[in-house]
Amino acid sequence: MASIVKVDTIQNQSGANIISESSNTITVGASGDTTNVIGTLQKDGVSVTNTPAFSVRLNSAQNIANSTFVKIAFDGELFDTDSAFASNKFTVPSGAGGNYFFNYGIQYLAYAANRGIASFRKNGTEIQTSEISPLTASTNPTITGALSLNLSAGDYVEVFVYQNSGGAQDIRGSSSELFTYFGGYKLI
């Protein structure tokens, strides 16, 4: 036998609202309350999480040719919630289109060059660059960048690097620290 209970408010024993409804807005809890969701929180039937998400790094130094943009060969995966990072690029999985946040950092090994450039690309097209000029031999200069993008399923993003020292140079990698890295996640 099925039953229907019709109420606008559910209160705890102290009289504080636990769940209330007014003008098609449902309020769970009150200011200062902790609300635990057991299971999957959804909006319109879609899970509400900051996934897909990934974080990768360069484990060992990568040689960068002079005056050429080279895709970074990230070889250390810290996490990849949806197995969407492969072939040194992140590809938006089917059904996961939306707004994303990305960040990256590239550390050059100590050398002098006129320019060091990071190139963030969407579907093969450069959409953001960051530059250090000049690089100096006494430091390990780092280029960092961050951006938000609206992406559709199948779109991909990747990071390229450039230097013009006159010869090939290395960007820094480490299997224990984040010198050269790339990461991102879907915004809720």
Side-chain angles (χ1 to χ4, degrees):
M1 177 169 154
S3 299
I4 296 175
V5 177
K6 295 183 179 185
V7 297
D8 290 331
T9 304
I10 298 174
Q11 296 181 339
N12 64 16
Q13 291 180 352
S14 301
N17 289 355
I18 296 173
I19 301 173
S20 61
E21 189 274 336
S22 176
S23 301
N24 294 324
T25 298
I26 298 172
T27 302
V28 178
S31 179
D33 285 355
T34 298
T35 304
N36 292 323
V37 175
I38 311 267
T40 303
L41 181 62
Q42 295 186 345
K43 177 183 182 283
D44 299 327
V46 177
S47 178
V48 179
T49 62
N50 284 102
T51 59
F54 73 98
S55 181
V56 294
R57 69 175 168 218
L58 187 65
N59 279 336
S60 55
Q62 181 178 344
N63 195 257
I64 307 300
N66 176 52
S67 299
T68 304
F69 278 95
V70 176
K71 183 167 32 170
I72 299 177
F74 295 101
D75 55 356
E77 189 174 280
L78 301 172
F79 62 87
D80 183 3
T81 63
D82 292 54
S83 300
F85 189 86
S87 302
N88 299 305
K89 64 184 177 184
F90 170 78
T91 304
V92 177
S94 177
N99 295 314
Y100 283 80
F101 175 81
F102 297 98
N103 67 339
Y104 58 89
I106 300 159
Q107 188 171 82
Y108 291 86
L109 287 172
Y111 62 88
N114 292 328
R115 298 172 73 194
I117 301 173
S119 172
F120 187 87
R121 300 182 183 189
K122 173 186 172 186
N123 299 332
T125 301
E126 185 176 85
I127 60 169
Q128 182 193 61
T129 60
S130 300
E131 180 175 343
I132 294 178
S133 180
L135 297 172
T136 61
S138 62
T139 64
N140 292 318
T142 301
I143 296 175
T144 59
L147 71 159
S148 296
L149 293 173
N150 186 281
L151 300 173
S152 299
D155 285 343
Y156 64 92
V157 294
E158 53 200 344
V159 181
F160 284 69
V161 66
Y162 171 95
Q163 63 82 25
N164 68 342
S165 68
Q169 299 291 333
D170 288 339
I171 56 174
R172 189 172 185 188
S174 172
S175 61
S176 63
E177 297 184 52
L178 293 177
F179 293 121
T180 299
Y181 60 88
F182 178 30
Y185 54 90
K186 185 176 180 182
L187 298 169
I188 300 176

